[in-house]
Amino acid sequence: MTTPEKRHPDPERARNRRRQVLDAASACFGRSGFHGASMAEISKAAGMSAGHIYNYFDGKDAIIAAFVEENVERVSALLRDLESRGDVLQALLDDVPKSVLEHLDREVWKLPLEITAEASRNPTIAAVVHDADRRTRAIFRPLLKAGRERHGLPADDALLDGRMDAIITVFQGLSARAQHNPDIDNDALIASIHVAMRALLFT
Amino acid sequence: MTTPEKRHPDPERARNRRRQVLDAASACFGRSGFHGASMAEISKAAGMSAGHIYNYFDGKDAIIAAFVEENVERVSALLRDLESRGDVLQALLDDVPKSVLEHLDREVWKLPLEITAEASRNPTIAAVVHDADRRTRAIFRPLLKAGRERHGLPADDALLDGRMDAIITVFQGLSARAQHNPDIDNDALIASIHVAMRALLFT
């Protein structure tokens, strides 16, 4: 399942309008949560009529699906960058300081945290995030496999599944951790995540 | 900051009533989210008038605070159990299969995921979870310190902070991971989390 984009005669204009709605929705969901934010509130924040928004999105579920799709594209670009650097395992490990700090940004991860909570109770959103996760792992898997084989490490299917889920667990966990502990010692946490990631990647 | 419990002449009866409200609220928040669930909906599910509920809780924020407090008590009991087993590091590592499976339960962790999302936008809930996290780490810290010293491992303050946050990151991440990937290979993930935890505990 991918996000169905409605067709429009002027794609450039449609893209801008969609962006306008997504930015407004992001602010509204961040403030009031998925259930608390109404389409009326979103349309007011976007400066567009609700009817006009429905030209671009069928409702709040479709807006969330668009955010999830943007995240798939973001992670795909990150994975392509890792691949271009040759030694994928070492590149992942080298990026730990940067990627840990990114995942500790409390503003950036508000919406993904809301989407995770919503997926736990809304089957439509659950299907969207399951599909996005499956596609992301399908891109990650061959990179991790090639990376491990390059270092002569085991790379059977079950091991790759376990390592992928564990690595993503760490990053998803960081965005939650930042909301619970406002006094994180960033350098100390980076050092510890580096230890865990090195073990996950190189053993 | 701890949850202020309102005083009642019959503590046993008050405890039962509070439990009744918390069970109803848990179901409502799970279904509709924190913002979507009204006190009217919670009072209907609890079979009590909204006015009666206000004898026990000042509102939804106070109900969430009670859930957070229950979780502090749950984790404190887990930590006391680890301590009673002597070698805390080894006990934590031995428990990985059980604790990973517990954190992958998609129903149990719906409410904590909702609370994390709510903490990201609601300063009252943020203060409650920050305080709970600080108190939990204050119990965890001396156990981890003694456990590492027993094994002749470094146990300075920054290292303990980093390890604690990394270990909690892994468990918080698992509850999110379970919502994103419905096809987790549990055994493979347990093996990978074991590798990461061994590194975090014993290096």
Side-chain angles (χ1 to χ4, degrees):
Chain A
M1 190 165 121
T2 51
T3 323
E5 288 205 14
K6 295 193 171 186
R7 289 182 177 279
H8 292 274
D10 182 346
E12 172 70 21
R13 186 183 151 88
R15 206 161 26 243
N16 290 339
R17 290 298 195 201
R18 284 174 58 89
R19 185 72 266 152
Q20 203 174 331
V21 176
L22 292 176
D23 290 344
S26 174
C28 294
F29 292 154
R31 201 160 46 226
S32 318
F34 181 77
H35 284 269
S38 63
M39 282 298 273
E41 184 184 343
I42 295 168
S43 77
K44 194 177 168 196
M48 289 162 68
S49 72
H52 196 176
I53 289 184
Y54 280 104
N55 288 332
Y56 301 99
F57 298 100
D58 279 333
K60 288 196 285 180
D61 284 359
I63 292 174
I64 289 284
F67 286 125
V68 171
E69 203 53 36
E70 285 189 336
N71 195 49
V72 171
E73 283 159 24
R74 184 188 64 81
V75 176
S76 302
L78 280 175
L79 291 170
R80 279 195 303 274
D81 171 65
L82 288 173
E83 190 175 22
S84 74
R85 287 153 67 189
D87 186 339
V88 171
L89 304 196
Q90 192 58 48
L92 265 164
L93 196 60
D94 290 343
D95 282 355
V96 162
K98 182 171 149 278
S99 50
V100 168
L101 289 179
E102 280 171 4
H103 283 81
L104 293 177
D105 186 312
R106 284 202 286 275
E107 281 304 311
V108 166
W109 298 94
K110 276 170 86 162
L111 189 57
L113 290 168
E114 176 71 19
I115 292 173
T116 299
E118 183 60 19
S120 78
R121 59 181 170 249
N122 177 334
T124 306
I125 299 303
V128 167
V129 305
H130 294 171
D131 175 67
D133 203 78
R134 194 180 42 69
R135 286 184 288 132
T136 304
R137 281 180 283 115
I139 302 172
F140 191 11
R141 170 182 287 277
L143 267 61
L144 189 61
K145 186 176 166 69
R148 290 183 62 89
E149 286 169 346
R150 180 189 182 111
H151 287 275
L153 294 160
D156 59 278
D157 282 351
L159 187 139
L160 292 174
D161 280 339
R163 290 296 194 271
M164 280 195 296
D165 272 321
I167 291 166
I168 308 172
T169 288
V170 170
F171 288 114
Q172 288 193 312
L174 287 168
S175 60
R177 190 90 283 274
Q179 302 295 343
H180 287 258
N181 182 3
D183 305 313
I184 290 175
D185 178 333
N186 288 349
D187 290 340
L189 179 54
I190 287 168
S192 283
I193 296 295
H194 195 274
V195 160
M197 287 288 280
R198 191 176 50 210
L200 287 171
L201 293 166
F202 287 100
T203 58
Chain B
M1 189 165 122
T2 53
T3 324
E5 288 205 15
K6 294 191 171 188
R7 289 182 178 280
H8 293 275
D10 181 346
E12 172 70 19
R13 185 184 152 84
R15 207 162 24 241
N16 290 340
R17 290 299 196 201
R18 283 173 59 89
R19 184 73 267 152
Q20 203 173 328
V21 176
L22 292 177
D23 289 345
S26 174
C28 294
F29 291 153
R31 204 161 43 226
S32 318
F34 181 77
H35 284 269
S38 63
M39 282 299 272
E41 184 184 341
I42 294 168
S43 77
K44 195 177 166 194
M48 289 163 67
S49 72
H52 195 175
I53 289 183
Y54 280 104
N55 287 332
Y56 302 100
F57 298 99
D58 279 333
K60 290 195 284 181
D61 284 359
I63 293 175
I64 289 283
F67 286 125
V68 171
E69 202 53 35
E70 285 188 336
N71 195 50
V72 171
E73 283 159 24
R74 184 188 65 81
V75 176
S76 301
L78 281 175
L79 291 171
R80 279 194 302 273
D81 170 66
L82 287 173
E83 190 174 23
S84 74
R85 287 153 68 190
D87 186 339
V88 171
L89 303 196
Q90 192 58 49
L92 264 165
L93 196 60
D94 291 344
D95 282 356
V96 161
K98 179 169 151 281
S99 49
V100 168
L101 290 178
E102 280 171 4
H103 282 81
L104 292 176
D105 185 313
R106 284 202 287 274
E107 281 305 311
V108 166
W109 297 94
K110 276 170 84 161
L111 190 58
L113 290 169
E114 177 71 19
I115 292 172
T116 299
E118 184 61 19
S120 79
R121 60 181 168 248
N122 178 333
T124 306
I125 299 302
V128 167
V129 305
H130 293 171
D131 175 68
D133 203 79
R134 195 180 42 70
R135 284 185 289 132
T136 304
R137 282 181 283 116
I139 303 172
F140 191 11
R141 169 183 288 276
L143 268 62
L144 188 61
K145 184 176 168 69
R148 290 184 62 90
E149 286 170 347
R150 180 190 181 111
H151 287 275
L153 293 161
D156 58 278
D157 282 350
L159 188 140
L160 292 174
D161 280 338
R163 291 296 195 270
M164 281 196 294
D165 272 322
I167 291 167
I168 308 172
T169 289
V170 169
F171 289 115
Q172 289 193 313
L174 286 167
S175 60
R177 192 90 283 274
Q179 302 294 345
H180 287 258
N181 181 4
D183 305 313
I184 289 174
D185 179 335
N186 288 350
D187 290 341
L189 179 55
I190 286 168
S192 283
I193 297 295
H194 195 275
V195 160
M197 287 288 281
R198 190 176 52 210
L200 287 171
L201 293 167
F202 287 101
T203 59

